[in-house]
Amino acid sequence: MPKFQTADGLKLYFTDSAQEDPSASARLPLLCLPGLTRCGLDFRYFAPHTARYRIITLDFRGRGQSEYDPNFATYNVPQEAQDVIALLDHLGIARTALLGTSRGGLVSMTLAVMAKDRLAGVILNDVGPELPPDGIARIMDYLGRKPAAKTLDQAAKQLETAMQTAFPDVSADRWFEEVATFYTETPSGLELRYDAKLRDALLAQAEAGPIPDLWPLFRALNGLPLAVLRGANSDILARDTFDKMARALPTGTFQEIPNRGHVPFLDEPDALDAIHSTLEQIKWPQ
C-alpha cells in the first residue's frame, strides 16, 4: 500500500498509475485531489477516461487510507497544500496538472500562490473563491456525524431521495456505489471513513474569524491552462460566482454540467470534454 511520510510524521496514502504501468511515467502527471470528507476514490468514474495521463490520487490527512492526525488543527487547506508538495517531492515530479474537487480545488488554488512553478494546469470541480452559507450549512449538517441509516442500502435510498432535485438522472446503483465507497457497514451501523474531528477543525477555524478573501488565490491561476466545472444545480459554486470567475480569467474554460449538483462525477461528456481540452494545452513532455 503506497504511502509517504510528511514532515510532521503522518503517513499519507496515494496511488500512482506509473507504479502499475511504468510507461505512464512519461505521460502528463495529473494529480487528483478529493473533496472534504472524501478520498482518491472520488475519481473512480473519471479513471476509465485517463489512459493518456499519469494519474495520481492523494487521500488527504485524516481521510480514506491516510493516517489521522491527533492534532486535528492540521486539517486545514494550507497544510494540505504542503502535503501535496511533499507528495510531488516524494515522487520526484517537478510539475503536475491538478484536478481538484471541492476542497481539493481550494487546495489547488492555494498551491497557485504557494508553488505555482510546480503547476502545469488546473481543473476546478465545482468550487470557487466564494462559498455560499447555505451550501456550507448543508455540509456542516452531516460533517463528522454518523448517518442515521444503519445499512448501506438504507443510506443509498436516503441519498437518492436527498439528491433527486440536484441529480435527477442518476441511477440507484450509483448512489449505492457512493455510500458503499465512503461508509463501512458494521453490526452497529455505518462508520465514517474519515476522522470525525474534521468537524472540530472546521468549527475552530470558523471561530477564529471569517473565511479570508479567496479571490487572490483564484487570480493566481492566471497564465495556467484552466478549466472550471460547475454543476448546474450546485449549492457550493453559485452561478454568479461562476460568471465572475469567467470574467476574471477569460482565457479559461468554464463549463456547466447539466443535471448535476455538488459535485459532478467527472464522467459526464461535458466534463470530460473540458478536462481533456484543457490538458491538451499543456506541452508534454517538457
Side-chain angles (χ1 to χ4, degrees):
M1 188 165 61
K3 289 187 176 181
F4 74 101
Q5 189 163 315
T6 63
D8 58 351
L10 284 190
K11 292 180 179 179
L12 305 187
Y13 175 81
F14 69 95
T15 67
D16 178 2
S17 62
Q19 293 189 334
E20 296 183 0
D21 176 11
S23 67
S25 61
R27 302 172 193 154
L28 171 67
L30 177 60
L31 175 53
C32 301
L33 302 176
L36 176 64
T37 64
R38 319 266 281 187
C39 66
L41 291 172
D42 248 1
F43 304 95
R44 62 201 179 284
Y45 309 121
F46 175 58
H49 308 278
T50 61
R52 69 188 82 175
Y53 315 118
R54 175 181 177 179
I55 296 296
I56 303 159
T57 69
L58 171 65
D59 289 3
F60 289 128
R61 53 179 59 211
R63 283 81 135 192
Q65 298 184 68
S66 289
E67 289 186 343
Y68 294 6
D69 194 337
N71 176 18
F72 64 77
T74 71
Y75 297 150
N76 63 71
V77 168
Q79 177 60 62
E80 289 158 12
Q82 290 283 5
D83 292 342
V84 169
I85 296 171
L87 174 58
L88 294 178
D89 291 344
H90 174 77
L91 295 174
I93 295 175
R95 293 174 69 234
T96 185
L98 297 178
L99 171 53
T101 288
S102 194
R103 172 80 158 214
L106 297 179
V107 173
S108 299
M109 290 191 288
T110 301
L111 285 164
V113 173
M114 291 175 56
K116 190 172 183 177
D117 62 321
R118 308 296 295 268
L119 307 186
V122 173
I123 297 120
L124 303 177
N125 183 21
D126 209 62
V127 70
E130 295 180 14
L131 304 174
D134 288 350
I136 297 300
R138 177 182 60 81
I139 290 171
M140 292 304 297
D141 189 54
Y142 68 77
L143 180 63
R145 295 168 173 165
K146 295 180 183 180
K150 299 300 182 183
T151 67
L152 292 174
D153 187 59
Q154 290 175 1
K157 291 176 181 176
Q158 291 179 6
L159 186 59
E160 182 178 13
T161 299
M163 294 293 188
Q164 192 169 30
T165 300
F167 293 81
D169 61 352
V170 176
S171 70
D173 288 344
R174 176 153 294 194
W175 292 126
F176 186 88
E177 184 176 0
E178 283 285 290
V179 298
T181 301
F182 295 106
Y183 296 126
T184 299
E185 186 171 318
T186 74
S188 59
L190 299 180
E191 297 291 337
L192 303 175
R193 290 188 182 172
Y194 64 90
D195 190 348
K197 290 186 177 179
L198 185 59
R199 178 182 185 84
D200 298 321
L202 263 65
L203 290 173
Q205 291 160 26
E207 290 173 1
I211 296 174
D213 182 8
L214 302 181
W215 279 101
L217 278 63
F218 176 71
R219 294 190 182 97
L221 298 170
N222 187 39
L224 293 172
L226 169 68
V228 180
L229 310 178
R230 176 184 183 268
N233 303 320
S234 176
D235 63 350
I236 290 296
L237 179 52
R239 171 70 64 78
D240 62 341
T241 300
F242 182 70
D243 291 342
K244 285 193 288 186
M245 293 166 73
R247 292 193 295 271
L249 296 181
T251 60
T253 296
F254 292 82
Q255 181 64 57
E256 197 164 68
I257 311 302
N259 294 329
R260 293 292 180 265
H262 185 73
V263 291
F265 295 114
L266 300 179
D267 61 350
E268 301 88 356
D270 289 343
L272 291 170
D273 286 347
I275 292 169
H276 293 316
S277 64
T278 299
L279 297 179
E280 286 167 2
Q281 299 173 34
I282 301 170
K283 294 181 179 180
W284 203 270
Q286 298 172 311

